[in-house]
Amino acid sequence: MDNIDIQAIRAAFPILKREVNGKPLVYLDNGATTQKPQAVIDAIIHYYSDMNSNVHRGVHYLSQISTDAFEVTRRKVQEFIHAQHDHEVIITKGTTESINIVAQCYGKAFIHAGDEIIISAMEHHSNIVPWQMLCEDKGAFLKVIPMNEAGELDMEVYRTLLNDKTKLVAVNYVSNALGTINPIKEIIDLAHASHAVVLIDAAQAIQHIPMDVQALDVDFLVFSGHKMYGPTGVGVLYGKEALLNQMPPYQGGGDMIKEVTFEKTTYNELPFKFEAGTPNIEAGITLDAAIDFIQGIGLEHIKKYEDELLAYATEQLLTIDGLRIIGTAKEKSSVVSFVIDGTHPYDVGVILDKLGIAVRTGHHCAQPVMDQFGIPGTIRASFALYNTKEEIDALVAGVKRAVNMLI
Ligand SMILES: Cc1ncc(COP(=O)(O)O)c(C=O)c1O
């Protein structure tokens, strides 16, 4: 943990000083959303105190500085994910909206009856349902890459699923329910060899793993601001310019048009073609501060530190009798999902909450994953760069206490 000054990092997050139920907060629900550093909170206050104005439409001073700040974020994201052009970065509400844009717009133009779309057995509902809706609409078929008991994708079966009917592959980089890091470069290369385009759901990767869309050669990459220390209500759809240009717009409204008459409307250029209406300006502008925060520490340092937390948590939790970790892939990100014989995840979660420990319990919006493991849900601890080994000790002690109370 050499390169991380954990106390300085914790001090940057005001919420970490609060108590919950009379106990110091131990926040281990970072997969659901991360806490926000003071720099992001300050940026939000600054926006409303000094800049508030609509973007991309006013000639007046405030509108210009808001527009400039919004576009600074776009360029910051471009650099952060190494996109070739800033107009390949579409600012959306979040991962869910980004996936829906691709499903509806790419789907409308390019998916036809009999085509096949491949997803994986470990997707979040937001990377399942939009494709099911598209398939239903178009008479296309959804195929699923299975996974083994460790929660690793079966790449041999994936190879056999790919064929000349495969038009699109949509897979998460990191599973929110299991923590598995998928071999996405291989997934992308195999899909491209079959002339299919690839969407990578990076909602659980962008805050842990350096991203280079050009090196990956990925067609679409999606993620949310609120899981990367940024504000809620903002996310990103990265798409290759050529593909975005061939797709029809998502919603009609202001900003996405060039000219409107009652006879015909012409659409705006990228990225505005996909950004109808007033965006979440505050969140769009302040996502910049979240990226600065991450870059100030460095993703390689963050990953190394979180890997140590993951290894420690795994080792310590396994000392508890009857505890089984769900998701034991060789390549994992900082998520530990577990069940304990004779207890229900919800009951354990409630007791942990009384101790000030925030974990997520349930199916984590990944019901098919729970079905495969034959369980109703798990208890999930997901770590961020401000978590500590002491907090993991508190979790382990809390789980032991819960087990004593429940069994
Ligand atoms: C892997 C994955 N994909 C998609 C989503 C949906 O993200 P959002 O609710 O921010 O749109 C989540 C949220 O937990 C996720 O973990």
Side-chain angles (χ1 to χ4, degrees), residues 31 94-97 99 124 126 172 174 176 201 203-204 224 226-227:
T95 306
T96 303
E97 186 176 55
I99 296 172
H124 188 279
S126 63
N172 61 29
V174 172
N176 67 311
D201 171 356
Q204 298 292 345
S224 299
H226 69 99
K227 294 182 196 285

Side-chain angles (χ1 to χ4, degrees), residues 121-198:
M122 63 175 85
E123 297 308 316
H124 188 279
H125 295 163
S126 63
N127 202 26
I128 301 174
V129 185
W131 307 116
Q132 283 175 327
M133 290 162 70
L134 174 63
C135 287
E136 205 171 312
D137 202 32
K138 294 283 191 157
F141 298 99
L142 196 63
K143 304 276 163 167
V144 181
I145 312 167
M147 62 176 166
N148 63 19
E149 277 302 292
E152 293 164 329
L153 293 182
D154 188 329
M155 296 297 284
E156 285 316 306
V157 176
Y158 174 51
R159 283 169 201 275
T160 66
L161 291 177
L162 286 162
N163 62 58
D164 57 5
K165 288 190 253 122
T166 313
K167 290 287 152 19
L168 189 138
V169 176
V171 174
N172 61 29
Y173 197 142
V174 172
S175 154
N176 67 311
L178 304 169
T180 309
I181 302 177
N182 285 314
I184 57 156
K185 183 62 184 146
E186 196 183 343
I187 290 173
I188 293 166
D189 289 348
L190 285 167
H192 285 169
S194 281
H195 309 291
V197 301
V198 182

Side-chain angles (χ1 to χ4, degrees), residues 11-32:
F13 289 81
I15 204 169
L16 298 180
K17 295 185 193 80
R18 70 158 292 168
E19 295 192 337
V20 168
N21 292 321
K23 303 278 190 313
L25 169 66
V26 175
Y27 187 78
L28 302 176
D29 193 18
N30 297 288

Side-chain angles (χ1 to χ4, degrees), residues 286-300:
T286 58
L287 180 61
D288 178 55
I291 296 175
D292 282 346
F293 177 80
I294 292 175
Q295 288 183 322
I297 298 164
L299 272 170
E300 56 298 341

